[in-house]
Amino acid sequence: MNKIATASLQRTAQGLTGKPNLLTVEDAKSMTLPRMTELFTKHLNPGQLHFMKLLGFHKVKIERAEGMHYYDQNGRPILDFFGGFGSLAFGHNHPRIVEARKKFQDEGRQEIAIAFMSQYATALAHNLAACSPGDLDMVFLGSSGSEAMEAAIKVAERAAGPKKPKIAYAENSFHGKTKGVLSITDGQLYRGEFKLVDNTVRVPFGDIDAVESAFRSDPEIGVIVLETIQGGGGIIQAPSEYWQRLRVLCDQYGVLWVADEVQCGFGRSGKFYAFEHAGVIPDVTALAKSLGGGKAAVGAMIARREVYMKAYGTPKTAMIHAMATFGGIGEACVTSIEAINILYDEHLIDNAAATGEYLLQKLDELKVKYPTMIKDVRGKGLMIGLEFHDFSKTVPMVLRPVLAVLDDKLKGSLPGFIGSHLLRDHGVLVAFTEYNRNVIRLEPPLICGREHVDEFIKALDEVLSRGIVRIVKDFVKAQVK
């Protein structure tokens, strides 16, 4: 019998709670890939492992991360053009963020101060209001984008009132996986067979005439919720005129506009908020992801004071949607306070605009070079979509009719093959999108420089230069190794 089991039996004999067979931090740190795979399959998500194996991602164990790079079990750097779906504006382990968190810990500061006002939550709320245009100045703090968006639709629905209970949302939208925002997330994969709220109206994204028609025909619509740039939809934008007209229509019909900036906000588009490009201001917005500085889980809803006060402005209503236990937790707020300061001190918003423009230019050059593979390049700042043609369009004309019938089943295959080769052969990590599977999503940290863009473009160019036949052959070969 080992020492752990013996000690556990001794404690049980003494009337103490026996300690189960637990892993320590050191055990986790030294875990091998086979053991990780075993426990992932046993306790986390065996279905997800299937896709990780297809892409070869299951062969990588990340040992550390710094700046623009992960480092695997062999010390190989992996250039991060995925960025945790926009969660890593400052790269990995930004020294100022690490130092702020360490100082907070060393000083023995409070984390959960629910009974008292928190100087850290208060300061973070002030900073978010200072960064937000107009009268977006009332803040709710949470721990995720889903929680921030739940708060956003709740404050808007209450402010709209019981006579206007319906919420309009867009096709191909993604707002989160909790049940409230899942009801305005337009994806059957995520919706599954859950019973969702039914006070919703679906409209096409970017079609202002459809929005006006919905508002005119249904006076019960009190809220419209839209991602300013659709991430899961494939990095889809609407022109500035759309948002300007939307603002006018919302005012005309008494509808509150909720702008979901969880992924596209916090400087990623080259402005603090993506809606600022159109020179308009929503009634409610939400941030998360990089708001936590890559080291904490932080989300925030920011509402116009008038809207917030209608919903929760009296002592009787103030606690209807107050912060949860971990909303405004000390170290998370300190992390976000430091992150916002870094965003401006290091001019990362401006860098996102300039480097994003350079990345788009280089991708456009590849589109010209590989027209049968690359269908479109689009995005704003460092939120970019690289769309590939359906498989049948990439092969010689004589084969296209044969493969065309398989296009739907093969959607996502080419981006998957390319992403797999980029990681395996060049140490570059990219992401994908939920609804348009032919899109590679590029959301590198906002610290990304031209030299990182050049490295990425060189790797992508090499993979695409192989041609479709060799890309497929190389992928199949890697699967049987």
Side-chain angles (χ1 to χ4, degrees), residues 70-142:
Y70 291 99
Y71 293 87
D72 71 8
Q73 67 272 30
N74 301 310
R76 180 182 69 148
I78 298 172
L79 181 63
D80 187 2
F81 262 59
F82 167 30
F85 293 120
S87 298
L88 292 161
F90 309 96
H92 300 272
N93 290 307
H94 190 288
R96 274 182 56 178
I97 291 174
V98 171
E99 179 58 29
R101 290 168 64 85
K102 183 177 184 300
K103 186 175 181 181
F104 183 89
Q105 296 164 10
D106 291 345
E107 292 174 351
R109 299 286 181 165
Q110 81 271 14
E111 289 285 9
I112 299 173
I114 298 171
F116 312 103
M117 287 188 291
S118 163
Q119 62 267 52
Y120 309 114
T122 304
L124 176 55
H126 165 82
N127 284 358
L128 288 168
C131 293
S132 302
D135 57 350
L136 286 168
D137 58 6
M138 297 299 290
V139 177
F140 169 92
L141 297 174

Side-chain angles (χ1 to χ4, degrees), residues 199-383:
N199 60 325
T200 58
V201 176
R202 183 171 173 260
V203 295
F205 181 77
D207 185 341
I208 199 64
D209 292 334
V211 172
E212 183 171 16
S213 177
F215 286 1
R216 188 190 308 115
S217 63
D218 193 344
E220 289 194 340
I221 295 175
V223 180
I224 185 166
V225 183
L226 299 165
E227 297 160 272
T228 316
I229 301 174
Q230 288 192 325
I235 317 300
I236 305 299
Q237 302 175 80
S240 291
E241 293 77 13
Y242 172 86
W243 302 109
Q244 292 159 0
R245 182 66 180 146
L246 177 71
R247 180 69 275 174
V248 171
L249 288 174
C250 285
D251 293 339
Q252 179 182 342
Y253 287 93
V255 175
L256 296 174
W257 167 25
V258 176
D260 183 344
E261 294 259 340
V262 166
Q263 189 170 152
C264 63
F266 205 69
R268 179 149 295 279
S269 74
K271 297 280 188 183
F272 188 84
Y273 292 107
F275 59 72
E276 292 182 273
H277 289 283
V280 289
I281 304 171
D283 299 291
V284 185
T285 189
L287 296 169
K289 296 196 183 291
S290 285
L291 181 57
K295 298 295 285 186
V298 185
M301 176 276 289
I302 307 98
R304 291 174 49 228
R305 186 174 187 84
E306 179 186 357
V307 172
Y308 185 90
M309 295 304 284
K310 276 184 182 178
Y312 310 126
T314 69
K316 185 178 179 180
T317 59
M319 301 306 290
I320 290 175
H321 198 84
M323 285 191 293
T325 306
F326 295 107
I329 192 170
E331 191 173 330
C333 286
V334 166
T335 306
S336 290
I337 291 167
E338 187 71 359
I340 294 173
N341 277 276
I342 294 168
L343 193 67
Y344 289 94
D345 291 345
E346 298 189 359
H347 309 291
L348 297 183
I349 298 175
D350 300 318
N351 186 64
T355 306
E357 186 177 346
Y358 180 65
L359 176 55
L360 283 168
Q361 173 195 325
K362 290 297 180 182
L363 289 170
D364 278 329
E365 291 173 7
L366 289 186
K367 181 186 172 189
V368 172
K369 189 174 181 179
Y370 302 105
T372 61
M373 280 194 266
I374 298 177
K375 179 180 181 180
D376 192 24
V377 174
R378 55 181 177 264
K380 184 85 75 175
L382 286 173
M383 185 174 181

Side-chain angles (χ1 to χ4, degrees), residues 15-163:
L16 301 174
T17 301
K19 184 177 181 180
N21 183 20
L22 303 178
L23 297 173
T24 65
V25 173
E26 287 302 316
D27 290 334
K29 193 162 62 175
S30 61
M31 194 179 293
T32 64
L33 275 168
R35 179 67 167 152
M36 288 164 65
T37 302
E38 175 194 346
L39 295 182
F40 190 96
T41 304
K42 195 172 183 180
H43 301 299
L44 281 173
N45 193 331
Q48 184 182 353
L49 186 63
H50 165 77
F51 297 103
M52 295 175 76
K53 285 183 174 179
L54 274 179
L55 296 171
F57 289 9
H58 70 300
K59 297 176 181 178
V60 178
K61 178 188 176 186
I62 299 300
E63 294 289 0
R64 66 183 184 89
E66 182 180 350
M68 285 290 298
H69 294 89
Y70 291 99
Y71 293 87
D72 71 8
Q73 67 272 30
N74 301 310
R76 180 182 69 148
I78 298 172
L79 181 63
D80 187 2
F81 262 59
F82 167 30
F85 293 120
S87 298
L88 292 161
F90 309 96
H92 300 272
N93 290 307
H94 190 288
R96 274 182 56 178
I97 291 174
V98 171
E99 179 58 29
R101 290 168 64 85
K102 183 177 184 300
K103 186 175 181 181
F104 183 89
Q105 296 164 10
D106 291 345
E107 292 174 351
R109 299 286 181 165
Q110 81 271 14
E111 289 285 9
I112 299 173
I114 298 171
F116 312 103
M117 287 188 291
S118 163
Q119 62 267 52
Y120 309 114
T122 304
L124 176 55
H126 165 82
N127 284 358
L128 288 168
C131 293
S132 302
D135 57 350
L136 286 168
D137 58 6
M138 297 299 290
V139 177
F140 169 92
L141 297 174
S143 303
S144 70
S146 291
E147 189 181 359
M149 282 303 298
E150 291 282 356
I153 60 171
K154 287 178 75 175
V155 74
E157 185 176 335
R158 275 191 59 82
K163 292 182 179 180

